[in-house]
Amino acid sequence: MLSHHVTHKGERRHPLWLEITRIVLSLVILWKGLEFVANIHAFTDIMMNSSVPVAILMSLLVHVIIVAHIFGAIALFTGSYVRVACLLQMPVIIMALAFRGLAVDILNPYAAIWVSVAILCALVLVLLKDRHDALDRETSKN
C-alpha cells in the first residue's frame, strides 16, 4: 500500500509554480497555526469569563483550529492528501474572515484581512489545480 502510494506520488507531474505555491502555503499556514498557539491567552481570558458550555465550545474550537492548521500544513508540505488539507483549512479561514471584528483582539494571526484572503485564494487554487490534475490522470489511464 505504501509503495503504491509512493509510486503514485512519483507519477504526479504538477507544474513547479504549483508545487512552490503549495509549499509556501503550507509554511504560512503552519506559521499562522503557531501564532494561534502563541495567542491562546486571549481565548483563555474569554473562557474564564464565560459560562461552562461556552468555555467548552471555545476550547474545542481552538483545539480544532490548531490541529487543522498543523496537520493541514504538514499534509500540504508533503503533498499528501492535498485536497483534504485544503478543504479542512477553508472553514477556518472563512471563519476568520467572517469574524474579522474579533481579529484584532482574539484572532491575531488573521488580523490583516489580506492575509486571510491570500491564504483562501491560494487554498482554492491548489485545490482546483490538484483536482484538475487528478481528473486528467484518470482520463489518461482509460
Side-chain angles (χ1 to χ4, degrees):
M1 180 75 171
L2 180 62
S3 64
H4 174 69
H5 179 70
V6 171
T7 304
H8 179 68
K9 290 295 288 172
E11 293 172 358
R12 295 176 82 175
R13 302 198 198 295
H14 288 128
L16 182 60
W17 66 267
L18 183 63
E19 295 295 326
I20 292 170
T21 301
R22 181 181 50 78
I23 290 170
V24 169
L25 177 63
S26 70
L27 294 174
V28 170
I29 288 173
L30 180 62
W31 169 51
K32 293 300 180 184
L34 295 176
E35 273 190 355
F36 206 85
V37 171
N39 292 319
I40 200 131
H41 64 278
F43 282 101
T44 305
D45 293 342
I46 291 174
M47 285 188 282
M48 294 193 62
N49 297 326
S50 300
S51 64
V52 173
V54 172
I56 291 172
L57 181 63
M58 287 193 68
S59 177
L60 181 64
L61 180 65
V62 167
H63 286 87
V64 166
I65 290 170
I66 291 169
V67 168
H69 274 338
I70 292 174
F71 285 118
I74 292 169
L76 284 169
F77 187 82
T78 61
S80 302
Y81 305 103
V82 171
R83 286 174 270 166
V84 173
C86 288
L87 289 172
L88 291 177
Q89 295 300 311
M90 286 180 185
V92 175
I93 304 302
I94 290 170
M95 281 189 332
L97 287 168
F99 296 107
R100 70 177 184 253
L102 299 174
V104 176
D105 297 327
I106 299 172
L107 302 174
N108 193 23
Y110 302 102
I113 192 168
W114 64 269
V115 174
S116 296
V117 170
I119 292 171
L120 186 60
C121 290
L123 284 168
V124 170
L125 174 73
V126 170
L127 175 69
L128 292 177
K129 188 62 178 161
D130 191 70
R131 184 173 184 276
H132 177 70
D133 287 351
L135 292 174
D136 284 349
R137 283 191 304 275
E138 288 298 320
T139 53
S140 67
K141 285 182 182 178
N142 295 331

